[in-house]
Amino acid sequence: MEKQHNHKDCMQALKPVRDTLDVINGKWKLQIIISLNAGNKRFTEIERSIPKLTSKVLAKELKELEQNGLVERIVKDTYPVSIEYYPTRYTKTLHPVVESLKDWGENHRKHIFGTAEEAGKESL
């Protein structure tokens, strides 16, 4: 006989997923993390690396990522003052999640569009 799951079991399973999505949810956060991991550290570098991302949204998202311990903001004592952003060591814990999302996205594209070659044409 199959075990019946109750509402409490469901909520216990959903809560950590909801917590994760609260931190990385949105159109830009993972893209910003990927950009930082690629070596972009200045605000303008990050902004240029992500098409359609506005300065206002980037500033908001960087602040939220910093509050969640995923981004470190370093103010350099130069003239003029320069600010750089770095992924924290804690950010590396997201690497398997990002890789899994990338793999799933590639497989989903193949599932929807057919072969990998056709999927590549669709992204153009």
Side-chain angles (χ1 to χ4, degrees):
M1 182 171 210
E2 199 171 309
K3 179 183 171 186
Q4 290 288 325
H5 294 282
N6 62 30
H7 179 71
K8 184 179 175 184
D9 291 338
C10 182
M11 290 306 293
Q12 284 181 315
L14 289 175
K15 187 175 181 194
V17 172
R18 187 179 61 222
D19 291 345
T20 302
L21 291 176
D22 285 346
V23 174
I24 63 170
N25 195 22
K27 185 175 182 178
W28 306 110
K29 284 192 177 94
L30 283 176
Q31 292 183 64
I32 292 166
I33 289 168
I34 291 166
S35 177
L36 289 167
N37 284 333
N40 297 308
K41 57 188 177 212
R42 303 286 304 264
F43 189 92
T44 54
E45 292 172 340
I46 300 164
E47 187 177 26
R48 286 183 195 134
S49 74
I50 305 171
K52 299 182 183 178
L53 175 60
T54 66
S55 297
K56 182 178 177 180
V57 172
L58 176 57
K60 177 184 131 335
E61 299 288 45
L62 282 168
K63 187 174 187 176
E64 288 179 16
L65 288 167
E66 185 180 7
Q67 290 170 343
N68 282 292
L70 296 170
V71 170
E72 183 178 11
R73 181 178 183 263
I74 305 290
V75 178
K76 302 239 177 176
D77 191 21
T78 58
Y79 184 80
V81 172
S82 63
I83 300 170
E84 294 181 349
Y85 298 90
Y86 294 92
T88 63
R89 288 186 5 201
Y90 183 55
T91 307
K92 291 183 186 350
T93 64
L94 279 174
H95 184 74
V97 175
V98 173
E99 282 298 312
S100 292
L101 287 169
K102 179 182 145 280
D103 292 345
W104 189 89
E106 288 172 352
N107 289 330
H108 180 67
R109 183 169 286 276
K110 289 175 192 171
H111 174 76
I112 295 299
F113 297 114
T115 68
E117 184 177 302
E118 290 174 30
K121 289 178 187 174
E122 291 295 327
S123 67
L124 300 176

